[in-house]
Every structure is written in structure tokens, then in C-alpha cells.
Amino acid sequence: ARVSPASHESSTENNDPEEDTVLVFDEQKLLTSIVPTYSVFNGRVGSLIDRPLLATQGRNAVVYFGSYGSHISSLHIVGEIFDWVFNQGSIQSPPLIDVQSTLCPSAGSTVLVMDGSQLVPTDLDSRDF
């Protein structure tokens, strides 16, 4: 079912993440299915395609990653080694160092840090967004 952002009334239309609507959380499907209805990052489907994450050379890039679901998430950025990974989002615990891929527990979080002095400048204007 779908909820209109304006009225918050349910309808029987399919959950289409491409449309600008609020999608209804289906707890039963979450608990019984391994196949997601939709997958989002920063609250939108395809958000990293048309709005890439940007970082400034010389400043650390930090990603706060949370998993809202009943399954473990695996996080890997192609071509990147995370300098520090704080498991369970615990920034008071010693971090894992030089991690390529990391797991995020069900309904949990992790904090990833990339050393800004190692970031390589990229000409975003040459990419086709």
C-alpha cells in the first residue's frame, strides 16, 4: 500500500520507489522475506547516482551507515580501503584499521572513516550524471 505525502491515506497501488511518494513500511514482509521491495541510500532510490557523496581532499570523509532491516548488510566502496571502521557505531571503542568490506548488523550501524590526506581529486564535470 502507498501513503500520499499530503494526505497520509493508504491506497492499494504498488510500492513504486521511482515515484515521489512515501512508501509504507511492511513489517510482515521485512520479517518473512529476504528480497527487499526497495533499497535506498540517504532516503532515496538511486540517490548516489544523481547526487554522489563528495569529500574534500585533506579532510576526513566519514560515513554513518545504518541498516534498518532484519538481515545483515555488507558495505564495500569499490576502490576504497576504510582507514577506520567503528563496529556497531561505537566511536568509544578502538576502530578496526584498513578494512576493505564491513558488515552492519540487523537494525544496527557502523561508522566508516577515510583519511582525507589520501583522497584523490576527481573531475566530476567529466562524469555523465
Side-chain angles (χ1 to χ4, degrees):
R2 176 188 314 278
V3 174
S4 165
S7 68
H8 296 287
E9 294 177 6
S10 293
S11 74
T12 57
E13 298 174 41
N14 285 334
N15 280 337
D16 182 358
E18 298 301 320
E19 295 182 22
D20 189 20
T21 60
V22 175
L23 301 174
V24 177
F25 174 67
D26 185 345
E27 183 177 11
Q28 185 61 34
K29 182 169 183 182
L30 171 78
L31 296 173
T32 60
S33 175
I34 194 165
V35 180
T37 303
Y38 46 88
S39 184
V40 299
F41 197 84
N42 284 345
R44 293 185 330 110
V45 172
S47 67
L48 295 179
I49 295 170
D50 55 350
R51 294 182 189 156
L53 297 176
L54 302 177
T56 302
Q57 189 174 23
R59 295 185 64 191
N60 288 349
V62 181
V63 175
Y64 299 91
F65 183 81
S67 174
Y68 183 61
S70 62
H71 307 288
I72 295 173
S73 296
S74 180
L75 183 62
H76 172 82
I77 297 177
V78 176
E80 177 58 47
I81 301 293
F82 304 119
D83 295 288
W84 304 285
V85 173
F86 295 90
N87 276 335
Q88 307 284 324
S90 175
I91 58 174
Q92 295 296 314
S93 299
L96 298 172
I97 298 171
D98 297 332
V99 177
Q100 178 181 0
S101 298
T102 189
L103 297 175
C104 184
S106 170
S109 64
T110 189
V111 178
L112 313 161
V113 182
M114 293 153 276
D115 182 355
S117 66
Q118 303 297 315
L119 295 175
V120 178
T122 302
D123 180 13
L124 290 176
D125 294 332
S126 66
R127 296 182 63 182
D128 182 21
F129 290 111

